[in-house]
């Protein structure tokens, strides 16, 4: 099968981030740092590894720190150069984006993830595109989107990242109704956004990585309000199910829900422990802390 390459990614970052108030009153959630890198950097690095060349950010009021983050910082660079801090200079250069590679567009009101993606419709044309939600951070040997791009080269259609969750957690996710289970890839025969307790069609949940056909944009044109009165991306993808064009991909890796406080803290610990420069000191601290909690 000849499948078009996925070269464009949409990063919907226009949400209010209310679960992190008051911090998100002035700091975009996507700029919050795991160890020393903002969430958005993890998503950008993952997209680059998957071969993405065009980056579309769907932003909103109060997100200017995000735009500044990707600007070059000539003063900082020359200071680091003068003081011989080549390692930091390299780190800094890793955040630079090519001129013209990033487009920022505005979502004027937070009407839902589907609406945020739809805001990018004029930039997508007739090409497949990826969607990455930066608050889902995935630690994996091979970055998650790269795994999906490789699988998508075989299937075409639409692909969503999927993972098994505990049955009592399904009501927090989009959930797949599995048609055919081929192991790592499942053919999807239905999708439900945040099913009510006890009604989920499976415990295979969608998480924030997607490869979508331009047809999904056309479906979003209908502006159908779904769960919570929001325009749901899940519903626009589910419209493609009848044509046998939707696949779930069980990725290899550990996903952290950095949109929630508990998930963010877990990710901070995991990424801190995975860093050779921090591991010994940090794990000794955690060890002592756990011991003192036990005796308290
Ligand atoms: P969330 O459901 O996490 O919402 O959005 P949120 O507003 O970011 O955070 P809370 O729930 O208030 O704490 C999932 C992703 O979809 C984007 C968000 O920016 C996030 O990346 N989103 C959501 C939009 O871009 N626009 C929307 O209207 C809704």
């Amino acid at each position: 099968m000849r499948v078009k390459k996925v070269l464009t990614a949409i990063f919907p970052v226009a949400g209010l981030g209310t679960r992190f108030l008051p911090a998100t009153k002035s700091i975009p959630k996507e700029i919050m740092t795991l160890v020393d890198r903002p969430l958005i950097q993890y998503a950008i690095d993952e997209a680059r590894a998957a071969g993405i060349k065009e980056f579309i950010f769907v932003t909103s009021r109060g997100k200017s720190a995000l735009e500044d983050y990707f600007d070059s910082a000539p003063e900082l660079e020359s200071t680091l150069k003068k003081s011989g801090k080549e390692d930091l200079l390299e780190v800094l250069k890793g955040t630079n984006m090519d001129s013209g590679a990033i487009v920022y567009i505005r979502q004027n009101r937070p009407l839902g993830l589907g609406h945020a993606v739809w805001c990018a419709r004029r930039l997508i044309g007739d090409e497949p595109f990826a969607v990455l939600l930066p608050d889902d951070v995935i630690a994996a040997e091979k970055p998650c989107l790269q795994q999906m791009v490789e699988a998508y080269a075989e299937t075409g259609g639409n692909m969503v990242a999927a993972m098994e969750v505990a049955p009592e957690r399904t009501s927090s996710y989009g959930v797949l109704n599995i048609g055919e289970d081929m192991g790592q890839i499942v053919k999807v025969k239905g999708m439900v956004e945040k099913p009510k307790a006890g009604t989920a069609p499976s415990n295979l949940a969608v998480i924030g990585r997607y490869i979508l056909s331009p047809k999904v944009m056309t479906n979003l044109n209908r502006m159908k309000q779904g769960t919570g009165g929001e325009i749901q991306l899940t519903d626009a993808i589910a419209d493609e199910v009848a044509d046998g064009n939707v696949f779930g991909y069980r990725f290899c890796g550990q996903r952290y829900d950095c949109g929630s406080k508990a998930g963010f803290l877990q990710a901070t610990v995991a990424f801190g422990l995975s860093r050779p420069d921090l591991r010994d000191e940090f794990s000794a601290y955690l060890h002592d802390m756990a011991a003192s909690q036990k005796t308290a």
Side-chain angles (χ1 to χ4, degrees):
M1 183 195 305
R2 254 188 87 72
V3 172
K4 279 189 181 173
K5 272 197 172 166
V6 186
L7 297 173
T8 302
I10 301 176
F11 300 82
V13 291
L16 297 174
T18 53
R19 284 172 286 173
F20 279 95
L21 282 170
T24 44
K25 190 177 164 201
S26 65
I27 306 167
K29 177 169 65 173
E30 303 73 23
I31 286 290
M32 295 197 319
T33 53
L34 274 184
V35 190
D36 50 13
R37 287 145 49 90
L39 293 184
I40 194 68
Q41 186 70 55
Y42 291 91
I44 288 281
D45 289 350
E46 186 181 328
R48 276 178 168 156
I52 297 296
K53 304 281 183 243
E54 311 283 340
F55 303 79
I56 303 172
F57 285 75
V58 183
T59 67
S60 58
R61 214 152 51 87
K63 301 275 178 172
S64 50
L66 198 63
E67 301 186 14
D68 292 343
Y69 176 76
F70 289 111
D71 254 353
S72 65
E75 277 175 27
L76 197 51
E77 280 183 23
S78 76
T79 308
L80 291 174
K81 209 172 199 168
K82 273 186 209 142
S83 51
K85 294 187 172 156
E86 294 297 328
D87 47 345
L88 285 180
L89 198 58
E90 279 312 302
V91 170
L92 199 63
K93 281 187 178 159
T95 66
N96 288 351
M97 300 292 282
D98 293 341
S99 288
I102 301 191
V103 181
Y104 298 97
I105 51 169
R106 241 10 195 214
Q107 184 191 27
N108 289 340
R109 280 186 299 152
L111 297 178
L113 176 59
H115 182 262
V117 169
W118 175 83
C119 290
R121 67 199 176 282
R122 293 204 179 87
L123 301 166
I124 291 300
D126 199 28
E127 300 296 315
F129 58 97
V131 177
L132 294 93
L133 306 190
D135 39 11
D136 272 335
V137 176
I138 302 166
E141 215 164 285
K142 184 185 279 187
C144 179
L145 191 66
Q146 190 183 347
Q147 296 175 39
M148 290 175 70
V149 161
E150 288 172 12
Y152 169 80
E154 305 296 320
T155 62
N158 298 275
M159 181 168 279
V160 298
M163 71 175 200
E164 257 85 25
V165 299
E168 65 276 13
R169 299 283 304 129
T170 48
S171 56
S172 305
Y173 294 89
V175 179
L176 300 180
N177 191 351
I178 299 171
E180 189 185 345
D181 197 333
M182 296 169 276
Q184 194 136 37
I185 297 177
V186 301
K187 198 163 207 179
V188 174
K189 65 174 181 189
M191 291 171 80
V192 197
E193 184 61 32
K194 300 190 175 65
K196 290 203 174 71
T199 66
S202 76
N203 67 337
L204 196 54
V206 177
I207 64 118
R209 300 289 182 274
Y210 309 78
I211 297 175
L212 301 175
S213 67
K215 185 78 198 312
V216 171
M217 284 292 187
T218 315
N219 299 343
L220 284 168
N221 280 335
R222 292 200 277 275
M223 292 288 144
K224 195 170 83 184
Q225 283 188 354
T227 307
E230 294 193 344
I231 296 158
Q232 298 287 356
L233 184 59
T234 303
D235 295 340
I237 303 170
D239 287 345
E240 292 302 291
V241 156
D243 295 336
N245 262 341
V246 182
F247 300 90
Y249 181 78
R250 287 189 179 97
F251 60 95
C252 299
Q254 176 68 44
R255 172 257 189 179
Y256 297 94
D257 176 9
C258 291
S260 79
K261 282 178 254 212
F264 193 90
L265 290 171
Q266 287 159 15
T268 300
V269 172
F271 280 78
L273 288 175
S274 72
R275 286 273 294 261
D277 54 333
L278 295 171
R279 188 179 299 135
D280 291 349
E281 189 181 345
F282 190 39
S283 72
Y285 170 75
L286 290 176
H287 192 267
D288 289 353
M289 179 113 173
S292 69
Q293 293 272 324
K294 258 188 209 157
T295 52

